[in-house]
Amino acid sequence: MLLAGLCTVDVVQRVAAFPEPGEKVQSLRVDVAAGGPATNAAVTVAALGGGATLLTALGAHPLAALARADLAEHGVDLADLTPGRTAAPPVSAVVVRDGDGERTVVSRNAATDEPLTLPGRSALFDDVGAVLLDGHHPELALAVAREARRRGVPVVLDAGSWKPVLDELLPLVDVAACAQRFSAPGPSLSERGVPVVITTAGPEPVRWSTREDSGQVPVPRVEARDTLGAGDVWHGALAFAVATPGRSVPGWIREANAVAAQRVRHVGPRSWTGAVEPRAVENVGEDKR
């Protein structure tokens, strides 16, 4: 699979309680890992036994080495479009509350990055069953979507929030997976030509619609220990399921729900990966509408 989008360096502090303004607290645990929607989705695909290539901008700054090492350890192939960049990569400051796994995130993301293009990278699409885009690096997202469309490869969009690029990108998307807070100005996603629209709502059932049908799929009830990146994991598992032939939309969602449930049960950004068997997602539930 090819996953294109944001890669950050996440510094994750686990605390007993979120600090008040001006307050200093001692953390219970510290983790450093690569982050970002497409990045966490790529780690998910690799954990499920799929080949995962992350197409992003990272560079040669010492902080970038932390993200590179994390991705290599978890089986993700990195295609860095800015290997010589000396500026620091985006850094996210994350605080996770120990009691319920809730988190806060402050991040610069890729808002100030130079536009990325896709010259001479068509070989990245060879033997790819699906691509996932997170909408960051908008020029790159469009280039990947257009090449995927040309090759007949399904395009999955992680639609966490509205971005200006989506006006051009949505007509190229096959599956749009939206957060509950996502809102598109003007026409709906279906009216914009997206064949499959899926909406997640945390622990509430996941809703889906196609041109012919609609429905919802319940979410497993589990004790949440850490919600950081759970949505990214869900999108990675969804894209992995889309790339697996012979599955229905409810089947995709059941698989994604099951993998995300494993993620939130475990403390830390990567500890959950050891709890999923490679390609075990294919055996989750009975695939019926």
Side-chain angles (χ1 to χ4, degrees):
M1 280 189 58
L2 183 63
L3 306 98
L6 181 66
C7 185
T8 68
V9 176
D10 286 0
V11 180
V12 185
Q13 304 270 5
R14 192 170 185 90
V15 298
F18 293 139
E20 298 294 332
E23 181 185 9
K24 294 182 180 180
V25 299
Q26 183 170 340
S27 64
L28 306 173
R29 167 180 174 146
V30 180
D31 291 284
V32 178
T39 298
N40 288 325
V43 170
T44 303
V45 171
L48 293 172
T53 298
L54 175 65
L55 187 59
T56 190
L58 196 53
H61 189 277
L63 284 174
L66 299 174
R68 289 178 182 275
D70 180 49
L71 294 171
E73 180 180 354
H74 291 92
V76 175
D77 294 326
L78 176 65
D80 187 359
L81 294 175
T82 59
R85 186 176 72 174
T86 57
V91 176
S92 294
V94 184
V95 182
V96 179
R97 187 166 56 194
D98 188 56
D100 57 5
E102 283 295 331
R103 82 288 186 272
T104 64
V105 182
V106 179
S107 182
R108 184 65 173 164
N109 293 340
T112 60
D113 282 8
E114 294 295 319
L116 300 181
T117 57
L118 194 67
R121 293 280 184 167
S122 60
L124 291 168
F125 292 82
D126 294 345
D127 301 319
V128 166
V131 302
L132 179 140
L133 309 173
D134 64 13
H136 295 278
H137 302 299
E139 293 82 6
L140 176 62
L142 284 169
V144 171
R146 287 166 180 154
E147 180 64 16
R149 175 59 61 93
R150 187 181 73 81
R151 291 172 174 251
V153 175
V155 176
V156 179
L157 174 66
D158 175 348
S161 60
W162 179 261
K163 300 175 179 65
V165 70
L166 295 185
D167 278 322
E168 290 184 78
L169 188 59
L170 285 170
L172 303 170
V173 169
D174 297 287
V175 181
C178 311
Q180 185 179 29
R181 66 180 179 276
F182 178 86
S183 178
S188 69
L189 270 58
S190 297
E191 292 169 334
R192 291 170 181 265
V194 181
V196 180
V197 179
I198 301 171
T199 303
T200 60
E204 299 305 314
V206 178
R207 294 179 285 111
W208 62 272
S209 64
T210 67
R211 295 187 179 104
E212 300 81 22
D213 205 355
S214 64
Q216 60 183 25
V217 179
V219 172
R221 299 294 177 183
V222 298
E223 180 186 4
R225 299 296 316 283
D226 194 335
T227 61
L228 177 64
D232 305 338
V233 169
W234 190 94
H235 287 96
L238 176 76
F240 181 83
V242 170
T244 304
R247 310 293 275 173
S248 70
V249 176
W252 299 344
I253 295 170
R254 279 194 293 273
E255 293 162 359
N257 287 352
V259 177
Q262 283 289 1
R263 191 276 166 267
V264 301
R265 287 186 179 109
H266 294 81
V267 172
R270 302 287 183 248
S271 58
W272 68 272
T273 60
V276 295
E277 294 292 332
R279 300 190 67 82
V281 69
E282 295 183 356
N283 300 318
V284 178
E286 186 178 0
D287 196 2
K288 296 180 180 177
R289 290 184 185 272

